[in-house]
Amino acid sequence: MFDNYIIEIDDKAAGILVKSGRAFAFHALERTFAALEGMMFPDAIAAERAARKVRRRLAPAFALGAAE
């Protein structure tokens, strides 16, 4: 198992997961995912799900060109 992961959403780097004890801390690479900054996840799959959820919630703003 790795200690660090890059989480990509729609072919863009959303954040980096850094191992901290038995969990992983999320560090956002884009403002879109700032709400996840510092959150702890048990694994990369859980972090990716959370990032996709954030992205889906902001989807209408992306369609209008208002975000990022």
Side-chain angles (χ1 to χ4, degrees), residues 13-33:
I16 297 173
L17 287 182
V18 178
K19 186 140 179 135
S20 179
R22 292 183 175 215
F24 292 88
F26 188 96
H27 299 282
L29 295 175
E30 290 193 17
R31 285 183 300 169
T32 303
F33 303 99

Side-chain angles (χ1 to χ4, degrees), residues 43-58:
D43 54 43
I45 294 168
E48 183 177 347
R49 275 191 208 120
R52 288 188 184 283
K53 188 175 181 179
V54 166
R55 176 64 172 87
R56 276 194 307 273
R57 192 175 37 189
L58 296 175

